Amino acid sequence: VPANATANQRLLTADAFRAAGFQVVRILDEPSAAGLEYAWRRPRDAKVRSRHVAVYDLGGGTFDASIIAMSDALHEVLTTEGVQRLGGDDFDEVLLGLACAAAGRPEPEPGPERERLLEVCREAKERLGPSSRRLLLELETDGPSVEVATADFEAATQPLVSASLDALAAALERVATLVGRDIERSTVVYQVGGASQLAFVGRALRDRFGRRVWRSPYP
């Protein structure tokens, strides 16, 4: 479950799995699951004394930043900072605005047509690669493609990325008062979540927190 899921949401999740025939042993929050996956994938790092992993989890609709302390005998979430309304869906909304502006048409009101266009935007966003210079969107099935420069999309979503980086920085600062050292320099940042696959998100993380940023192969 998301790190900031309520007790009621956790209970409903467990009930749903039991109803489906599963035996529920434990409910894990997403940052803990990511930390366990990191420790399994990079066991040498997990065995370093007092290793801290900052999980940057930018998903479809939520953002969580968690600091995990891990060693041979410990795996503990020290703090979590969440932004409940920040995720890939918000990037899709920004892209829709840019695409409609480029096409010279107003954005549709909430409803089936807007949902259809948001799905077009999501698919175009997920096709973005590290070297992509533009996004091509087919807003109409029988019309010409609309082109949005990747640089424009990156600039328009910069406030969203900055909000996520600020949340991670706040979590790191909170833990720094507990461990009494410069945790930003000694902590590995682990990048997970579907929206974190955007290349400019990874660049922003490295620029803000240094070169010790790893991305899960299955974000």
Side-chain angles (χ1 to χ4, degrees):
V1 294
N4 56 3
T6 65
N8 191 46
Q9 289 169 327
R10 292 168 188 264
L11 286 172
L12 287 171
T13 301
D15 287 346
F17 273 88
R18 291 191 186 99
F22 290 90
Q23 178 187 359
V24 178
V25 177
R26 181 183 175 189
I27 297 291
L28 270 182
D29 61 81
E30 290 171 345
S32 290
L36 287 170
E37 191 266 344
Y38 175 87
W40 172 80
R41 189 166 299 283
R42 303 184 63 83
R44 288 185 179 179
D45 281 9
K47 291 180 180 178
V48 173
R49 185 181 178 188
S50 299
R51 164 66 72 203
H52 291 86
V53 177
V55 176
Y56 175 95
D57 183 3
L58 183 60
T62 59
F63 172 76
D64 292 317
S66 298
I67 314 301
I68 299 173
M70 61 172 60
S71 66
D72 285 341
L74 176 71
H75 186 99
E76 178 185 5
V77 177
L78 299 179
T79 190
T80 294
E81 187 79 19
V83 182
Q84 217 165 19
R85 223 15 222 119
L86 173 61
D89 295 345
D90 301 287
F91 287 75
D92 300 339
E93 292 278 357
V94 170
L95 183 54
L96 177 59
L98 293 173
C100 287
R105 57 174 285 181
E107 290 188 39
E109 296 294 324
E113 176 63 8
R114 187 177 183 88
E115 292 303 315
R116 182 187 71 81
L117 292 180
L118 284 171
E119 181 66 14
V120 170
C121 291
R122 182 187 65 78
E123 292 174 356
K125 177 194 68 181
E126 292 180 354
R127 289 195 298 268
L128 268 179
S131 59
S132 299
R133 295 289 177 266
R134 59 180 183 168
L135 299 95
L136 291 177
L137 303 97
E138 295 183 0
L139 300 184
E140 304 295 340
T141 54
D142 56 350
S145 297
V146 176
E147 181 177 314
V148 174
T150 303
D152 292 341
F153 180 48
E154 180 176 348
T157 55
Q158 193 270 335
L160 299 175
V161 177
S162 293
S164 69
L165 299 181
D166 290 344
L168 179 56
L172 287 167
E173 185 175 345
R174 192 176 304 130
V175 173
T177 62
L178 299 176
V179 301
R181 58 189 172 87
D182 187 357
I183 193 167
E184 286 193 20
R185 293 187 179 275
S186 61
T187 299
V188 172
V189 177
Y190 199 46
Q191 190 180 347
V192 300
S196 74
Q197 295 182 85
L198 291 167
F200 57 81
V201 172
R203 286 200 307 272
L205 270 170
R206 289 190 294 274
D207 290 344
R208 180 78 174 265
F209 299 107
R211 58 185 175 83
R212 302 177 73 174
V213 177
W214 297 92
R215 192 178 77 180
S216 169
Y218 309 106

